[in-house]
Amino acid sequence: DGAPGSITIERGGIPTGKTYTKLADATADAQSGDTIKLGEGNYTLYGVSSVGHTKGKNLTFEGLGADKTAWNIGAEVPNPDNFGTEYNGDYSFDGAGTVTFKNMTMRSGKVDYLGFIRANKTVVDNCVINGKTFYWGYESAEFKNTTFNPPSFDYALWTYSSPTMTFDSCTFNVYTDAGAGSHDITVNVNDCKFNSMSYGKQALNINDSNMGEYKYILNITGNNTVTAARDNTTCSQLFGFGGKASTNNTGRTDVTIDGVKVWSGGKMLTHDYTDGEHDNAF
């Protein structure tokens, strides 16, 4: 936690007048809809039961900025006995409603299945996320003005639990896996910057072979800048199949750019969106 007295609660935009030393105490006192203001320091609720703290509540946690306030997701050192399972995840928001994080750095590790398990909705606004996470909102997850810094030669984010994820003015890499084949998975991207460090892969790297009767639905809008590998099938750095179109492109992906469907049924519907068209080099 931060310095003593650095945690306060605002209810309806008005401070309650009470200060806290421990984040768990403030969260227990908070009512649904409250904002918990965090001072300079490092914070976590890992190991704190959601019952009596976050369960059934809509809560906002607001820091002083990414350079002053940090939130640790999950264990500081994940248990190697739990590698490959969800049990290194963070259950502190199990059963919570909408959880919003603002103006802070959020830290995770490199092992798989880290993240906030079974929160209904999550919103991340004006934050930096360091490390790799899997679990965000189980109904939806929204990221605004957020920078994702992945581990070396790894992914920053798996859309592992969220049927709908929205990215607005973000810098990131993204990967999606679980939930495939059980429902459509929608990714909304607007005004984002992609810096892909993964060899041979696009900013949005697709493998729709496990989607069954469902689809990936990509809605791309605004001014998006991309530095990534160009896909030989889609002719784009923005979305593609990582050079594995023969196995990963099975016709279960729809891509719409600025309201125009450009890819569906495993085929290009228009050449207008491609790098070659934009560069007059096709």
Side-chain angles (χ1 to χ4, degrees):
D1 288 336
S6 63
I7 305 170
T8 60
I9 295 176
E10 287 187 357
R11 187 163 296 149
I14 301 173
T16 61
K18 187 175 181 179
T19 60
Y20 299 86
T21 299
K22 297 294 184 183
L23 178 57
D25 294 341
T27 307
D29 281 354
Q31 298 177 10
S32 184
D34 284 356
T35 295
I36 299 176
K37 309 279 281 191
L38 305 177
E40 187 169 353
N42 299 306
Y43 298 86
T44 187
L45 285 173
Y46 180 74
V48 175
S49 173
S50 65
V51 177
H53 293 89
T54 63
K55 190 171 184 177
K57 297 179 181 179
N58 301 325
L59 296 172
T60 296
F61 298 87
E62 184 173 353
L64 296 178
D67 59 334
K68 297 185 185 310
T69 304
W71 188 292
N72 295 329
I73 303 171
E76 182 176 356
V77 180
N79 183 351
D81 293 338
N82 295 332
F83 287 177
T85 77
E86 72 177 30
Y87 295 106
N88 274 316
D90 194 327
Y91 288 83
S92 57
F93 293 99
D94 188 355
T98 299
V99 183
T100 301
F101 301 92
K102 298 179 67 174
N103 303 334
M104 65 180 72
T105 290
M106 307 188 75
R107 303 184 183 123
S108 184
K110 187 175 181 178
V111 299
D112 292 345
Y113 307 113
L114 297 174
F116 299 118
I117 294 178
R118 289 196 291 267
N120 190 32
K121 296 181 180 180
T122 53
V123 178
V124 179
D125 187 2
N126 196 36
C127 293
V128 173
I129 301 178
N130 296 328
K132 178 168 62 173
T133 56
F134 285 64
Y135 299 104
W136 291 94
Y138 274 50
E139 182 177 326
S140 66
E142 182 178 356
F143 301 90
K144 298 181 288 187
N145 300 309
T146 293
T147 297
F148 296 89
N149 295 318
S152 298
F153 305 106
D154 208 338
Y155 293 104
L157 179 68
W158 292 37
T159 61
Y160 204 76
S161 59
S162 307
T164 299
M165 303 195 82
T166 298
F167 302 91
D168 192 351
S169 302
C170 294
T171 301
F172 69 104
N173 298 307
V174 73
Y175 184 83
T176 182
D177 188 7
S182 60
H183 49 68
D184 288 340
I185 293 177
T186 301
V187 177
N188 303 311
V189 175
N190 180 66
D191 289 344
C192 290
K193 181 179 180 180
F194 299 82
N195 294 310
S196 178
M197 295 178 293
S198 300
Y199 294 123
K201 295 180 181 178
Q202 292 65 56
L204 297 171
N205 180 42
I206 306 165
N207 177 2
D208 61 21
S209 63
N210 58 355
M211 287 301 287
E213 298 179 356
Y214 297 92
K215 291 183 177 182
Y216 288 118
I217 301 171
L218 276 59
N219 299 312
I220 301 168
T221 57
N223 183 23
N224 299 283
T225 60
V226 188
T227 301
R230 181 176 295 106
D231 188 75
N232 289 334
T233 301
T234 65
C235 301
S236 174
Q237 297 177 69
L238 183 55
F239 73 96
F241 302 94
K244 299 178 180 179
S246 61
T247 57
N248 295 358
N249 177 27
T250 64
R252 298 176 175 93
T253 298
D254 288 347
V255 181
T256 299
I257 299 179
D258 291 329
V260 177
K261 186 177 287 187
V262 301
W263 185 274
S264 186
K267 298 179 180 179
M268 183 186 300
L269 302 184
T270 174
H271 202 275
D272 292 346
Y273 72 88
T274 64
D275 292 344
E277 182 80 18
H278 293 165
D279 298 339
N280 195 29
F282 58 90

